[in-house]
Amino acid sequence: MTKLLFERYPSLIGRLPIIEFVHAPTPVRAHPALGQAIGHEALYVKHDGLSAPEYGGNKPRKLEFLLADARRTGAAAVVTMGGIGTNHGLATAIFARKLGLACHLVLFDQPMTGYVRKNLLLFNRYGAICHHAGGYARTAWMVAKELARSHLSADGPTALVPAGGTSALGALGFVEAALELERQIENGELPEPELIVCAVGSCGTYAGLLAGLKLTRLNARVVGVRVVDRLVVNVRAVMKFGNRALALLRENGAAIGGAEVRKTDVRLLHTQFGGRYGRVTADGKAAVDLAETHGLVLETTYTGKAFAGLRDLAAAGVRGPILFWNTYNSVDLSGDLQAEDPRALPPALRAIYERTA
Ligand SMILES: *Cc1c(COP(=O)(O)O)cnc(C)c1O
């Protein structure tokens, strides 16, 4: 068991479900040229794009706990939901398949982009059974819950994986990630950051990081760049997931004292959202293009907006090192993608695939 959480709090062993997917620690690198381009040379990137060889990004960290939990309950299948380009859904399909679990994805509409189209092909490639629930996330969540409750899937007991992989249990993946970062700083791989920036979609990544940092000596200001409606991403939701993650550790015997995510710890940046989940914004697109010229591949739904937010924060005056937490997969799936023929998609997926932007 290589998890720092289990090393540090041995009472968790055998009590918290875990199946390891993540190859930790993910690399941290200095990016002086990209930093210079945004006027801040002490820029570092946490490359979670490389978190797992099958598929990287932030989702494998959550799924290590969530899919282990599904398997512990005897599930033969899992069901989750997301937008039609959901990275969470893609990651769930890939890792569920690795464990021999069937995977159902309930999808709601989001603006069509190149990466959405790629993900649609990949859902099919990795054997996910897709259900289209129309325009609303709420409807998709209701359909997913119903699928799990009724075992309609005919695959046998079906476990519900939360939207975005975000729950107290899923957020533990990023409590672990905060301990991982502390260890890298102790090892001299990077200086202690003054500011850490990540994208915030369903809150699990950001809440987990805030909670995990409470268990370390680090004092960084952590800013979450909101890319989803305020109904989902807000101070209360972040505090809820962060503190529930800490409560879960305590309930399982971890001696974490009075560690707590406070209101004042939560710093959300609202200026990059652009009014709709998945909408391509000019600032986000410019950030994606700039990062790409320096070899960092981002996308427009999450990480482009997050990097645009980082650039604004840097310009507003940060003296010390800044760490950008890259949550986007950087494992190349183009080989698998090329083998996929859009004409072979099931009719519902094909109709979505053929939509124009
Ligand atoms: C899902 C996702 C996020 C958001 O993470 P949450 O934990 O849902 O807030 C950020 N970046 C990328 C690339 C993602 O796929």
Side-chain angles (χ1 to χ4, degrees):
M1 180 59 63
T2 59
K3 289 278 168 278
L4 297 170
L5 264 174
F6 291 78
E7 183 184 309
R8 206 192 286 190
Y9 308 110
S11 73
L12 301 176
I13 298 170
R15 296 177 76 173
L16 287 181
I18 180 92
I19 297 172
E20 295 197 39
F21 301 134
V22 174
H23 290 212
T26 58
V28 175
R29 293 192 201 113
H31 285 257
L34 179 58
Q36 204 164 39
I38 62 163
H40 191 94
E41 283 187 38
L43 175 69
Y44 294 80
V45 176
K46 176 75 167 155
H47 287 282
D48 260 9
L50 299 166
S51 60
E54 297 87 353
Y55 183 75
N58 59 346
K59 302 307 184 299
R61 292 191 184 271
K62 302 166 170 195
L63 290 169
E64 289 193 317
F65 291 93
L66 297 170
L67 292 184
D69 191 43
R71 206 153 74 165
R72 189 162 73 168
T73 65
V78 293
V79 56
T80 194
M81 60 84 88
I84 55 177
T86 174
N87 295 325
H88 162 66
L90 179 57
T92 304
I94 289 171
F95 291 102
R97 188 167 133 118
K98 187 176 156 98
L99 300 181
L101 299 168
C103 177
H104 290 257
L105 302 179
V106 184
L107 307 172
F108 63 88
D109 293 331
Q110 73 180 79
M112 182 54 71
T113 64
Y115 100 87
V116 169
R117 226 174 243 124
K118 284 182 192 164
N119 278 5
L120 287 167
L121 288 173
L122 291 169
F123 299 156
N124 199 50
R125 169 70 179 76
Y126 299 116
I129 304 134
C130 295
H131 311 260
H132 183 227
Y136 296 99
R138 282 168 63 111
T139 316
W141 184 233
M142 274 160 40
V143 171
K145 278 200 296 199
E146 185 55 26
L147 259 171
R149 201 185 58 77
S150 60
H151 300 334
L152 273 181
S153 71
D155 297 304
T158 304
L160 184 66
V161 174
T166 288
S167 62
L169 189 62
L172 287 184
F174 274 86
V175 174
E176 171 72 20
L179 303 185
E180 180 182 311
L181 178 69
E182 181 189 43
R183 181 71 61 94
Q184 290 178 299
I185 292 167
E186 284 168 357
N187 290 345
E189 291 178 42
L190 75 160
E192 182 168 345
E194 177 178 327
L195 172 69
I196 300 173
V197 179
C198 69
V200 188
S202 63
C203 298
T205 299
Y206 182 51
L209 272 182
L210 287 177
L213 288 169
K214 292 291 174 181
L215 309 180
T216 71
R217 285 182 296 276
L218 305 179
N219 280 312
R221 171 163 66 112
V222 191
V223 175
V225 179
R226 178 170 69 87
V227 306
V228 167
D229 196 89
R230 273 182 204 263
L231 281 171
V232 176
V233 177
N234 54 67
V235 175
R236 273 181 57 176
V238 173
M239 286 173 69
K240 179 184 81 177
F241 288 118
N243 287 320
R244 284 188 184 169
L246 291 171
L248 197 53
L249 295 177
R250 236 175 244 122
E251 284 157 21
N252 287 288
I256 60 168
E260 183 194 358
V261 177
R262 296 202 179 81
K263 201 171 170 179
T264 48
D265 298 320
V266 184
R267 297 153 188 269
L268 290 170
L269 186 72
H270 300 287
T271 49
Q272 296 295 333
F273 175 45
R276 187 179 174 198
Y277 171 68
R279 179 177 286 162
V280 180
T281 59
D283 277 9
K285 180 70 170 64
V288 170
D289 292 343
L290 175 68
E292 191 165 332
T293 62
H294 295 278
L296 179 65
V297 178
L298 307 179
E299 41 61 59
T300 50
T301 299
Y302 297 96
T303 47
K305 289 178 180 178
F307 195 76
L310 181 151
R311 187 200 47 205
D312 289 352
L313 293 165
V318 178
R319 288 234 192 97
I322 303 180
L323 179 68
F324 178 62
W325 203 295
N326 182 20
T327 48
Y328 183 44
N329 167 55
S330 46
V331 174
D332 182 8
L333 301 178
S334 56
D336 281 351
L337 199 54
Q338 258 164 21
E340 285 306 292
D341 182 349
R343 285 167 307 184
L345 288 174
L349 272 190
R350 186 164 173 197
I352 299 170
Y353 183 90
E354 282 166 2
R355 282 182 196 168
T356 46

